[in-house]
Amino acid sequence: MRWNWQGFAGNLGSDFDVTVRLTWLSHASWLVETDSVRIVLDPFLTDNPKANVSPDDLGDLTHVLVSHAHFDHLHDAAAILTRTSATLISNFEIVQRLQSEHQLENAVGMNLGGTQAVPGGHILMTPALHSSSFADGSYGGNPAGFVLTLEGKRIYFACDTAYFSDMQHYARGVEVAVLPIGDLFTMGIEESLAAIKRIEPKVVLPTHYGTWPPIDQDAVAWAHRVRAETSAVPVVLDVGAIHDVGSN
């Protein structure tokens, strides 16, 4: 199900000029599709209590984006990368580790502020205020978010982060902002509202909530506050539902 301020509706499909499709895979995992790319962000499906698809269900992919090294963002990346010919895009430390462990052929190690070209656009790696470590406790490089510019549309995935004022520099006026609201490990509802006011996106979607009790949130109540307190249109997706960028 897909919820916006107009009420509940099914996936709207496409009588509009839609060029970018976003699917929430649960937790902080997203599938981003255009005519040129199929990108999975922070794949955590195996052992995820809310996921309703497996890594194999995603089919062919062109890119895997990983924001930081925590297990709930990195967990299925290696399996997807070894099954497909997708290119890994992440920070240098994550790329170096996965290349050494899995002999990956296609990988791009980046750092904050850098951009990487992809078909139909480019990806900017933005700062995130968070931590980043592998399951064994070793350093996982700088945590990051991403601004995807695809087919003329700009989508900001803040990924796991606290609110910070420089979000305005990186993401002001994007078509879509995808912001964590779970609290405890990331910003919660109050801080996400501050971020929305700073960024002024056209549309905002919540992420990184509801997977386990410590990050439960009432996303519909959040959406009512977004509508009342900001200029953005809130869209709340059920797991597996789609938002077509440009459909609002």
Side-chain angles (χ1 to χ4, degrees):
M1 187 168 290
R2 176 185 184 278
W3 188 93
N4 64 18
W5 186 249
Q6 287 73 37
F8 287 95
N11 297 340
L12 293 186
S14 194
D15 292 328
F16 303 90
D17 181 22
V18 174
T19 54
V20 185
R21 173 161 288 186
L22 308 179
T23 305
W24 189 38
L25 302 176
S26 75
H27 195 58
S29 302
W30 291 82
L31 180 65
V32 181
E33 298 173 280
T34 73
D35 288 341
S36 303
V37 296
R38 297 188 78 245
I39 300 168
V40 65
L41 168 71
D42 286 349
F44 171 50
L45 304 172
T46 307
D47 300 325
N48 176 344
K50 299 297 184 180
N52 56 20
V53 297
S54 73
D56 289 347
D57 293 331
L58 298 180
D60 290 334
L61 296 161
T62 60
H63 300 82
V64 176
L65 297 185
V66 177
S67 64
H68 63 290
H70 291 162
F71 80 97
D72 57 328
H73 297 258
L74 180 65
H75 189 60
D76 290 311
I80 291 169
L81 290 161
T82 54
R83 178 182 63 81
T84 71
S85 59
T87 297
L88 171 64
I89 299 178
S90 189
N91 69 40
F92 184 81
E93 288 80 4
I94 290 173
V95 166
Q96 190 174 49
R97 172 92 170 234
L98 293 188
Q99 278 187 316
S100 67
E101 291 182 347
H102 301 282
Q103 293 75 53
L104 302 180
E105 294 184 4
N106 303 315
V108 178
M110 303 179 66
N111 216 319
L112 303 179
T115 59
Q116 173 62 29
V118 297
H122 62 270
I123 295 171
L124 168 68
M125 180 175 278
T126 66
L129 296 183
H130 198 57
S131 56
S132 179
S133 58
F134 293 101
D136 62 6
S138 60
Y139 177 57
N142 287 323
F146 300 98
V147 174
L148 280 60
T149 301
L150 300 172
E151 309 300 339
K153 303 291 195 299
R154 296 174 65 236
I155 301 104
Y156 176 43
F157 288 94
C159 301
D160 282 18
T161 188
Y163 165 72
F164 59 99
S165 61
D166 280 354
M167 287 178 169
Q168 182 177 29
H169 168 74
Y170 291 101
R172 187 172 180 85
V174 293
E175 275 76 15
V176 176
V178 182
L179 303 179
I181 67 166
D183 214 343
L184 188 61
F185 301 108
T186 69
M187 59 185 174
I189 287 176
E190 295 296 334
E191 295 293 277
S192 76
L193 290 167
I196 294 164
K197 292 172 186 176
R198 176 73 65 169
I199 298 166
E200 296 184 336
K202 294 180 176 67
V203 175
V204 62
L205 285 73
T207 192
H208 203 281
Y209 73 97
T211 317
W212 301 284
I215 58 171
D216 276 344
Q217 293 288 359
D218 185 340
V220 172
W222 167 85
H224 279 280
R225 290 196 60 187
V226 170
R227 181 65 178 182
E229 300 175 32
T230 80
S231 61
V233 175
V235 175
V236 176
L237 300 180
D238 282 348
V239 172
I242 291 166
H243 174 70
D244 286 332
V245 179
S247 65
N248 281 287

